[in-house]
Amino acid sequence: MELKKYTAQTMAEAMIKIKEELGEDAIIVQTRKIKRGSFLGIGGKTYVEVMAIKDDEKVVREEKRMPSQKTIEEEIAEIKMSIKGVSEKISEVRMTGLFPEPFENLRIRLIELGMNPSESFSIVSDLTKKMTVEDAKDKQKIEFAIRQLFDNFVKRQKVNFSSGQKAIFIGPTGVGKTTTIAKIAAKLGLKDKLPLLILSFDTYRISAAQQMKTYADIMHIPFDVIYTPDQAMEIISSTPNRIILIDTAGRSQFDELKISEIETYVKTIKPEFVFLVIDATKKRMDVEENIKHFSPIGITHVVLTKIDETVSIFGPLMAIRDSKPVAFVTNGQSVPGDIISAADFDFEDFIVKEVVGR
Ligand SMILES: Nc1nc2c(ncn2[C@@H]2O[C@H](COP(=O)(O)OP(=O)(O)O)[C@@H](O)[C@H]2O)c(=O)[nH]1
Ligand SMILES: [Mg+2]
């Protein structure tokens, strides 16, 4: 006899699932209301959780009746035994209900935010060793504990560009490479008055390089479009003292610059910085895919863009955790204002708000 758990938004919905799977004669053993997605009882959705079993006793009874008819008393005794078995099983399920509240809520919340079950289990498990259930119910205490738990979760590194260094920006179309370069160029060129050169590899779409050129023109920074690695080397060696910022532009989202193409450029130019630009509004799996895709190029840093467009950056943070340190965070479309050095960005504050609630 197998005890099964069903979760649904309404009892009616749960019953449909149960009838489908266990048949018309399914026995409902227990129902209860549960809340998911909330923390400390705030927010979240209510679901019904129904424990049910298939009535295979009936089948067994019918088979057994053939050789020797059972008495009603025997049948009742049998049913009693099976109910006892079921209730034992239920208490077993309760016992293994991974953590006491509010830790269990936290575990589920972390999964909702993009952690996988084993990661969230180990994080919450650590937390239960550090604080009591009572303490965990105190909003300030749990916030503090989570902040500590996620301390250094995101690697970050301040980047200082110096004369003659080269930086290339790679990533899918539309993530904010050109805009980010414009922001950095404005700071280095206009504010710090450092000599700059902006290049763009744009083998397909003239308009993509055009956008970079427009920014460069406005800031009076020299700009060139590059069509071959040799041409890039020629330009670079003739301007040894400038900081060189290099943009890359594909034709569209479905027709990016080929990895092998960028790789060839990178091998020739040997830039000190290879920034993988990541859109913070993307899901963890998408970001993981991007990292995998661009890794052969030899990323040195990550730039996290568009954090102003999302309330949740936890997923992307999970994806970049094992990658390279974050150098910059961008938080808007304004050039040059909307960029922050990642070293000055309070990722932990963002994480605490996402995990505990605002
Ligand atoms: N909200 C917001 N938009 C951004 C940010 N960075 C870039 N964008 C916008 O994203 C779009 C694509 O940017 P672009 O620099 O052309 O991306 P690229 O294809 O990677 O060069 C543009 O509309 C930008 O204004 C940011 O930090 N926040
Ligand atoms: Mg661009």
Side-chain angles (χ1 to χ4, degrees), residues 99-100 103 121-133 135-136 145 149:
F99 297 104
F103 293 114
F121 181 88
S122 95
I123 286 254
V124 175
S125 178
D126 277 357
L127 200 62
T128 58
K129 283 170 205 146
K130 289 192 183 121
M131 69 194 309
T132 64
V133 164
D135 282 349
L149 212 58

Side-chain angles (χ1 to χ4, degrees), residues 173-174 176-179 205 208-209 211-212 247-250:
T173 300
K177 295 181 294 294
T178 303
T179 315
R205 191 177 68 166
Q211 189 198 354
M212 191 75 265
D247 194 10
T248 53

Side-chain angles (χ1 to χ4, degrees), residues 24 50 89 107 131 137 143 151 192 219 264:
E24 289 286 332
V50 183
K89 215 153 196 175
R107 186 183 70 82
M131 69 194 309
K137 287 179 181 160
E143 280 182 356
D151 198 28
D192 302 344
M219 295 187 273
T264 312

Side-chain angles (χ1 to χ4, degrees), residues 284-351:
R284 176 181 180 174
M285 267 159 73
D286 295 327
V287 177
E288 278 172 350
E289 196 53 41
N290 288 157
I291 292 173
K292 219 166 92 188
H293 182 71
F294 287 98
S295 280
I297 295 171
I299 303 157
T300 64
H301 296 84
V302 166
V303 175
L304 197 62
T305 59
K306 307 192 188 184
I307 60 151
D308 56 303
E309 281 192 356
T310 176
V311 291
S312 177
I313 58 171
F314 198 83
L317 292 184
M318 285 297 297
I320 62 182
R321 187 173 52 153
D322 299 322
S323 180
K324 298 295 173 184
V326 186
F328 299 101
V329 173
T330 79
N331 58 348
Q333 291 184 304
S334 289
V335 178
D338 296 336
I339 187 164
I340 309 160
S341 169
D344 301 328
F345 185 73
D346 195 348
F347 285 101
E348 287 72 22
D349 185 54
F350 227 98
I351 291 170

